[in-house]
Amino acid sequence: MLGKIRPALIFFGLFGMSITHPILNLYGKNPEIFIANRSSSVQIIAFALIAALAPTLVASTVWWAGRAVNQRLGDFLEMMLIAIAGLLLASLTFQHIGVSTNLYLLPAIIASLVLGFYGSRQNFLRDWLTFLAIFPIVSLVIFLGFSSSASLLWQAQAEAETNAQIENPAPVVMLIFDAVSYTH
């Protein structure tokens, strides 16, 4: 049974580390995005689930379709999808440690091709990659339970006061210089 879903679990783990986690981390630290869009709790949860599941669903659908056509095509697609996820992950890793784009592109491509080739063939590496499937679940739990955006899910909706009495009204003038060019 695991053999039939193992590629999907590998895709889930790798794309979870390279796509889901960065997206949920970014949006988790910036609840203003959800506030500006007036997103409901249901929309925020749906966003998180789509960020977590969509890359895996796309990759798995491509893999299963290729597998339905031909076993060798399915094996090739599995290798390439693992390599693509590996390229994204290697790029993020090199970028995170501060390596220049010019310096990390070739090593990232080589690492992703090696990961794709061995990740689709070597049982030890496949087992290890399968265990990565826990990573996007952890990212979801952190986003939905512990991030700054999570407070939007668990707090009651704030409402504006409609009949507020202002004791000392003061005029306010706001100037916005967003179209002014600034040169030294």
Side-chain angles (χ1 to χ4, degrees):
M1 175 68 180
L2 183 62
K4 292 183 179 184
I5 63 166
R6 181 176 294 221
L9 291 173
I10 291 171
F11 301 150
F12 188 56
L14 287 173
F15 284 116
M17 291 178 73
S18 61
I19 296 175
T20 303
H21 177 69
I23 289 174
L24 293 182
N25 188 36
L26 175 69
Y27 281 83
K29 291 179 181 177
N30 295 291
E32 302 83 15
I33 297 169
F34 297 114
I35 294 169
N37 288 315
R38 294 189 169 100
S39 300
S40 68
S41 296
V42 172
Q43 290 171 322
I44 296 171
I45 293 169
F47 166 78
L49 290 174
I50 289 169
L53 299 175
T56 301
L57 291 175
V58 170
S60 297
T61 301
V62 168
W63 173 72
W64 279 318
R67 190 93 157 170
V69 170
N70 182 322
Q71 174 78 26
R72 291 181 70 189
L73 178 60
D75 292 344
F76 175 76
L77 288 173
E78 178 183 353
M79 180 181 71
M80 291 310 297
L81 289 165
I82 291 172
I84 290 169
L87 178 63
L88 293 172
L89 186 57
S91 297
L92 282 172
T93 303
F94 285 126
Q95 185 180 36
H96 183 70
I97 60 176
V99 178
S100 168
T101 304
N102 297 333
L103 297 177
Y104 78 70
L105 192 56
L106 183 61
I109 290 171
I110 292 169
S112 68
L113 291 175
V114 168
L115 181 67
F117 183 76
Y118 288 109
S120 63
R121 289 177 173 72
Q122 298 293 321
N123 285 333
F124 173 75
L125 186 55
R126 290 175 65 77
D127 289 342
W128 186 80
L129 292 173
T130 303
F131 288 118
L132 292 179
I134 194 73
F135 197 83
I137 295 169
V138 171
S139 294
L140 269 171
V141 168
I142 290 170
F143 175 79
L144 295 174
F146 302 103
S147 69
S148 297
S149 294
S151 62
L152 300 174
L153 300 172
W154 313 116
Q155 292 179 353
Q157 290 282 348
E159 294 184 22
E161 181 66 43
T162 56
N163 295 324
Q165 297 294 325
I166 300 173
E167 299 293 326
N168 247 343
V172 176
V173 176
M174 183 182 300
L175 299 174
I176 300 175
F177 297 106
D178 66 339
V180 176
S181 65
Y182 176 76
T183 58
H184 284 39

